[in-house]
């Protein structure tokens, strides 16, 4: 903390000196320009020198509980050090097999344990998936993610069909992501060979709260799947969900788990609970959007090189709240008017917001 604060105070001093000095001579002007550049591009030493160092929960708590504006300022500086600040990755998510999931995730309308009105849909045809991927690419997406409501990736014909889908989407020049539940090391290798770029497997929440949200799968099983992905050379998309009744300490615990993964997840989706009728969390209290912003900012500081994605929940956030998320270091969103089974802002809304903020869609590579 002292390194981060000391660097900041030094930068502020240089900025103040710049305003007070009288410019005499070209060398003095050059010196002042350099000082001002340092002031405007302050780089927190802790974030640069300790990118992959495991932070203790106490250290993470100290970062998370900073005064809000100080936290946002630090997160934005870390973001600018590692990413192009004017670009946002556009991703598209498609449910290729919907409903009937045997898991009992308290937030999920696709669980067979609850009466939510979400009907079962068998695995989509490959040609329909390809058509959706082509449309996503035309609309600016560089990543296409396919989700199936399975607990465990099945062997046999269905998995072979998924492998075909991966090959076809990869052939379009898109990043290909899947979220299919748990998978074996052999299945991970097969997906990698088919052209899979990334695999989404969220931790959802802190280890302490996890058992209150899901009882059909333990935390260690999620970590085992992530290990299988790493072994196969597939990049990891791993984040969590806010608004499930968790405490601040649970959010800090989730961030500790995510940032302790080595290497860090290449993508970190932060979701706001989309309450679904019929699920145990249907009547969960509203989440303060500033909690979403604070969590994203902390994630950016802890995992500087990761893509931090504003995932589910944007439909219920104001333009101002989403803007703060971008300021806090988010640089990826899901586009399209649907995320698996829940609504998402339409393409026109996203285009208007990005235009108004001076942001542009990221191109692959």
């Amino acid at each position: 903390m002292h390194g981060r604060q000391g660097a900041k105070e030094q930068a502020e001093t240089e900025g103040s000196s710049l305003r007070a000095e009288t410019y005499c001579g070209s060398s003095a002007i050059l010196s002042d320009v350099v000082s001002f550049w340092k002031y405007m591009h302050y780089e927190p030493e802790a974030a640069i020198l300790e990118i992959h160092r495991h932070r203790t929960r106490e250290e993470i708590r100290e970062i998370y509980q900073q005064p809000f504006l100080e936290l946002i300022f630090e997160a934005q500086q870390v973001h600018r050090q590692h990413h192009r600040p004017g670009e946002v990755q556009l991703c598209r998510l498609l449910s290729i097999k919907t409903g009937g999931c045997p898991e009992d995730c308290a937030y999920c309308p696709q669980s067979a344990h609850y009466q939510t009105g979400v009907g079962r849909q068998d695995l989509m045809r490959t040609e329909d998936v390809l058509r959706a991927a082509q449309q996503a690419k035309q609309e600016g997406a560089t990543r296409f993610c396919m989700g199936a409501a399975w607990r465990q990736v099945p062997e046999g014909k269905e998995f072979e069909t998924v492998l075909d889908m991966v090959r076809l989407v990869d052939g379009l020049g898109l990043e290909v992501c899947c979220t299919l539940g748990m998978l074996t090391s052999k299945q991970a290798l097969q997906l990698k060979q088919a052209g899979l770029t990334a695999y989404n497997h969220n931790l959802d929440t802190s280890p302490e709260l996890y058992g209150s949200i899901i009882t059909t799968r333990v935390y260690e099983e999620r970590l085992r799947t992530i290990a299988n992905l790493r072994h196969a050379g597939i990049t990891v998309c791993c984040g969590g969900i806010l608004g499930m009744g968790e405490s601040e300490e649970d959010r800090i615990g989730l961030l500790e788990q995510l940032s302790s993964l080595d290497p860090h997840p290449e993508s970190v989706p932060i979701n706001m609970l989309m309450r679904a009728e019929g699920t145990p969390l249907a009547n969960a209290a509203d989440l303060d959007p500033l909690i979403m912003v604070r969590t994203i900012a902390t994630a950016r500081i802890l995992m500087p090189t990761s893509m931090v994605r504003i995932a589910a929940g944007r439909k219920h956030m104001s333009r101002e709240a989403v803007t703060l998320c971008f300021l806090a270091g988010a640089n990826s969103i899901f586009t399209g008017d649907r995320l698996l089974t829940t609504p998402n802002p339409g393409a026109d809304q996203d285009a208007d917001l990005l235009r108004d903020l001076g942001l542009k869609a990221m191109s692959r590579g």
Side-chain angles (χ1 to χ4, degrees), residues 210-230:
Y210 185 84
S212 301
I213 304 298
I214 305 162
T215 66
T216 51
R217 187 192 313 186
V218 297
Y219 216 75
E220 289 70 23
E221 289 176 303
R222 292 185 180 268
L223 296 175
R224 191 178 307 126
T225 291
I226 292 171
N228 289 338
L229 297 169
R230 286 297 184 201

Side-chain angles (χ1 to χ4, degrees), residues 129-130 133-134 137 142-146 162-178 190-198 364:
V129 172
L130 178 60
Q134 290 169 331
K137 183 177 181 179
T142 58
R143 172 173 288 203
F144 189 77
C145 186
M146 297 172 279
V162 171
L163 292 175
D164 287 339
M165 293 175 181
V166 170
R167 294 185 189 102
L168 289 169
V169 176
D170 179 55
L172 297 176
L174 292 167
E175 293 181 4
V176 194
C177 180
C178 283
Q190 289 175 285
L191 285 165
K192 175 64 176 179
Q193 291 165 359
L196 191 71
T197 310
R364 187 173 182 187

Side-chain angles (χ1 to χ4, degrees), residues 62-325:
E62 185 177 12
I63 294 170
Y64 182 92
Q65 292 179 343
Q66 287 185 84
F68 186 77
L69 296 182
E70 292 295 317
L71 176 63
I72 299 302
F73 179 77
E74 180 174 346
Q76 178 61 203
Q77 300 310 309
V78 172
H79 180 63
R80 286 173 178 269
Q81 172 65 23
H82 297 278
H83 304 273
R84 295 186 179 95
E87 294 185 354
V88 175
Q89 184 188 38
L90 306 185
C91 309
R92 185 66 56 87
L93 177 60
L94 176 69
S95 179
I96 60 173
K97 185 271 176 186
T98 305
C101 182
E103 301 275 29
D104 67 352
C105 307
Y107 54 80
C108 186
Q110 298 195 66
S111 172
H113 293 257
Y114 316 124
Q115 299 298 317
T116 65
V118 173
R120 297 192 183 199
Q121 173 191 297
D122 292 335
L123 192 63
M124 290 177 64
R125 300 183 304 170
T126 53
E127 54 265 38
D128 293 333
V129 172
L130 178 60
R131 190 177 302 112
Q134 290 169 331
Q135 180 179 349
K137 183 177 181 179
Q138 291 171 0
E139 295 175 357
T142 58
R143 172 173 288 203
F144 189 77
C145 186
M146 297 172 279
W150 289 319
R151 179 179 190 273
Q152 171 80 44
V153 176
E155 293 287 359
K157 183 179 179 180
E158 287 184 310
F159 184 51
E160 291 299 326
T161 300
V162 171
L163 292 175
D164 287 339
M165 293 175 181
V166 170
R167 294 185 189 102
L168 289 169
V169 176
D170 179 55
L172 297 176
L174 292 167
E175 293 181 4
V176 194
C177 180
C178 283
T179 178
L180 313 170
M182 295 184 293
L183 81 171
T184 65
S185 57
K186 178 184 176 182
Q187 290 170 328
L189 286 169
Q190 289 175 285
L191 285 165
K192 175 64 176 179
Q193 291 165 359
L196 191 71
T197 310
Y199 195 92
N200 169 257
H201 205 62
N202 290 333
L203 295 181
D204 288 347
T205 189
S206 69
E208 295 81 3
L209 184 64
Y210 185 84
S212 301
I213 304 298
I214 305 162
T215 66
T216 51
R217 187 192 313 186
V218 297
Y219 216 75
E220 289 70 23
E221 289 176 303
R222 292 185 180 268
L223 296 175
R224 191 178 307 126
T225 291
I226 292 171
N228 289 338
L229 297 169
R230 286 297 184 201
H231 179 72
I234 296 171
T235 64
V236 171
C237 175
C238 185
I241 306 171
L242 308 182
M244 299 192 294
E246 76 280 351
S247 65
E248 179 178 278
E249 194 63 24
D250 287 316
R251 292 188 286 275
I252 292 168
L254 169 64
L255 289 164
E256 179 189 21
Q257 290 296 313
L258 292 171
S259 62
S260 68
L261 295 174
D262 188 11
H264 291 153
E266 284 78 7
S267 297
V268 181
I270 304 297
N271 298 268
M272 178 186 288
L273 175 69
M274 298 290 286
R275 293 170 295 196
E277 289 298 324
T279 64
L281 292 176
N283 297 314
D286 290 341
L287 180 75
D288 182 347
L290 293 186
I291 291 176
M292 185 85 167
V293 178
R294 185 176 286 276
T295 304
I296 286 173
T298 307
R300 169 53 68 219
I301 294 167
L302 295 175
M303 295 167 279
T305 62
S306 302
M307 301 295 293
V308 178
R309 183 169 300 118
I310 314 171
R314 282 198 305 120
K315 182 72 173 177
H316 300 305
M317 296 171 66
S318 69
R319 284 164 52 94
E320 293 79 8
V322 175
T323 299
L324 281 175
C325 288

Side-chain angles (χ1 to χ4, degrees), residues 43-61:
E43 301 166 359
E45 293 176 5
I48 296 171
L49 299 177
E50 304 178 358
I51 288 175
H52 295 292
R53 183 181 73 83
H54 173 63
R55 310 283 187 111
T56 66
R57 185 170 290 203
E58 290 71 25
E59 290 175 307
I60 295 171
R61 187 183 300 110

